[in-house]
Amino acid sequence: MIDLRSDTLTQPTPEMRKAMFNARVGDDVFGEDPTVNALQEKIARLTGKEAALFVASGTMGNQVSINAHTQPGNEIIVEANSHIFNYECGSPALLSGVQVMPLPGFRGSFTVGQVEETIRPENVHHPKTALICIENTHNRAGGTIFPYQDIEQISLLAREQNLKMHLDGARLWNASIATGIPISEYARHFDSVSLCFSKGLGAPVGSIIAGSQEFIDRARYYRKAYGGGMRQAGILAAAAIYAMDHHFERLSEDHRRAKKLGEFIATLPDVELDLETVQTNIIIFDIRKRGVDGQKFVDLLASEGVRMITFARTKIRAVTHLHISDMDIEQTIAALKKVYDKIEKHTISVSKN
Ligand SMILES: Cc1ncc(COP(=O)(O)O)c(C=O)c1O
């Protein structure tokens, strides 16, 4: 089975498992796990921040950061299709007591002008705007890259207005490889950055947040409060270190394969796919015009040995990753051709009934 549903599906490689097996460990709640400490120092250096904190997941990284930056009753600005707004269980309200202001984005990004219009003026009626969150790359927009110049401008405004900036960089690795802009260049515009090891980098578990020492001290408290104080977590940190050292540069291969697959999908009749969105390892296309239900489409594709996932009723997502080869892309293209044939027949049989 060629599994293109997500880049989170990767299995740790034999070499990664060896690194995990050999990891020196200690109790990380005591701050005594040497491998976790090494990972945190490595990320602090990579991001150009004072400190970093290993967390269980991307969601935990985002939510701990939001709590550490805000007070209950504050408002945070996000993009309307962002992971924080759509896929984190309402946690800004649940865990931090803040209200979320979603901005309509273009390919997952928004402009300084939009932020300027959204920041609340000081007035007894309003919540206080406290934080701006940016997602880069943007999952639901199709792995799109938030333009660097927009980040610069938004960050400048945030500083002028005394607002904090958080980067949901679950796939910042992909943005950095695709643009050639170093992680630290992105990170310097933010008060906190969250990075995932369990997506394109192929580690089994784990994310990390980076920021000032003072921010990380507060974040450590929230991580513990959320039940995220792990003990011999060095086993996981070893996988993360291995992933960074061996699977970061190769992300360009995932991008090349996604582009090839995206270019083919765009040629299929009645498929809506904005090729401009295929900037990294994610392809999102819409088969609405074909008149076929998305679930039916992915079921048919699975019967040809390829798995993709529905993102909305007629939207389908495919993600390239560590376990997807050039041959897999060829086979996926062949399977898509076959499914298109079947859809033709299926559509006819449905209309007859
Ligand atoms: C952009 C983005 N942020 C955060 C997350 C959350 O990561 P996790 O599943 O590790 O909680 C994801 C997961 O896919 C994501 O795509």
Side-chain angles (χ1 to χ4, degrees):
M1 195 56 100
I2 297 167
D3 203 336
L4 292 159
R5 286 175 301 162
S6 175
D7 51 7
T8 57
L9 291 158
T10 53
Q11 296 277 322
T13 61
E15 294 76 18
M16 185 182 279
R17 286 172 194 264
K18 213 175 283 169
M20 296 171 79
F21 181 83
N22 289 323
R24 284 171 56 229
V25 296
D27 190 328
D28 182 49
V29 176
F30 285 29
E32 289 177 6
D33 188 301
T35 311
V36 170
N37 290 340
L39 173 65
Q40 290 173 169
E41 283 158 24
K42 193 174 168 77
I43 291 290
R45 279 197 302 278
L46 181 78
T47 55
K49 300 293 185 197
E50 282 175 3
L53 185 71
F54 190 47
V55 291
S57 65
T59 301
M60 185 181 277
N62 285 336
Q63 296 306 325
V64 157
S65 300
I66 289 169
N67 211 338
H69 284 312
T70 60
Q71 295 296 322
N74 285 168
E75 185 165 80
I76 68 169
I77 296 174
V78 302
E79 196 275 331
N81 279 307
S82 64
H83 198 276
I84 288 175
F85 187 52
N86 293 280
Y87 299 117
E88 300 193 7
C89 315
S91 293
L94 181 70
L95 302 174
S96 302
V98 297
Q99 138 175 328
V100 178
M101 170 63 90
L103 296 182
F106 174 69
R107 295 184 184 139
S109 58
F110 47 83
T111 63
V112 69
Q114 284 177 278
V115 176
E116 211 158 14
E117 281 174 19
T118 309
I119 295 171
R120 304 279 188 172
E122 247 185 57
N123 180 303
V124 73
H125 297 90
H126 296 319
K128 183 187 174 330
T129 308
L131 175 70
I132 302 164
C133 301
I134 281 176
E135 185 173 315
N136 195 16
T137 65
H138 194 292
N139 183 356
R140 207 166 158 178
T144 48
I145 297 164
F146 206 107
Y148 185 79
Q149 212 178 5
D150 290 322
I151 294 176
E152 262 183 326
Q153 291 171 354
I154 293 167
S155 141
L156 211 62
L157 176 70
R159 275 173 228 289
E160 275 168 26
Q161 300 281 331
N162 216 11
L163 307 180
K164 299 290 185 197
M165 293 273 288
H166 172 69
L167 174 57
D168 176 354
R171 295 185 183 79
L172 187 64
W173 313 103
N174 298 81
S176 175
I177 288 294
T179 58
I181 298 171
I183 299 269
S184 57
E185 250 325 285
Y186 278 118
R188 76 186 178 87
H189 298 291
F190 295 87
D191 300 283
S192 57
V193 180
S194 150
L195 301 161
C196 288
F197 303 111
S198 58
K199 313 262 165 356
L201 292 194
V205 180
S207 296
I208 201 157
I209 50 179
S212 68
Q213 186 64 57
E214 192 240 335
F215 164 79
I216 291 296
D217 290 345
R218 256 176 306 131
R220 183 182 292 277
Y221 166 80
Y222 290 113
R223 183 185 71 169
K224 191 75 179 74
Y226 296 172
M230 296 184 282
R231 301 296 176 171
Q232 285 71 37
I235 300 245
L236 302 175
I241 291 171
Y242 183 92
M244 276 175 74
D245 291 346
H246 296 90
H247 299 162
F248 181 20
E249 296 295 330
R250 64 153 300 288
L251 290 174
S252 57
E253 291 178 35
D254 296 345
H255 299 174
R256 177 175 56 74
R257 291 180 182 123
K259 195 162 193 298
K260 178 158 189 202
L261 181 57
E263 280 168 357
F264 170 75
I265 291 172
T267 65
L268 290 169
D270 301 329
V271 161
E272 289 169 84
L273 167 56
D274 175 3
L275 275 177
E276 292 289 320
T277 64
V278 187
Q279 299 172 8
T280 55
N281 68 329
I282 302 179
I283 305 153
I284 295 181
F285 58 100
D286 199 326
I287 52 166
R288 184 172 51 98
K289 284 192 188 155
R290 197 68 180 170
V292 190
D293 184 70
Q295 193 54 50
K296 205 153 265 173
F297 183 89
V298 296
D299 288 348
L300 282 169
L301 198 56
S303 70
E304 296 297 334
V306 176
R307 299 186 83 177
M308 294 186 186
I309 195 167
T310 51
F311 233 48
R313 235 178 81 80
T314 56
K315 275 192 184 170
I316 315 284
R317 186 184 77 166
V319 188
T320 54
H321 53 75
L322 193 57
H323 300 332
I324 300 298
S325 63
D326 288 330
M327 178 76 89
D328 292 332
I329 297 297
E330 296 302 334
Q331 285 181 16
T332 299
I333 289 173
L336 279 164
K337 283 179 184 160
K338 274 196 194 164
V339 164
Y340 248 70
D341 270 3
K342 283 190 188 170
I343 286 174
E344 212 74 65
K345 287 172 200 141
H346 167 80
T347 311
I348 291 163
S349 74
V350 166
S351 55
K352 271 183 187 161
N353 291 335

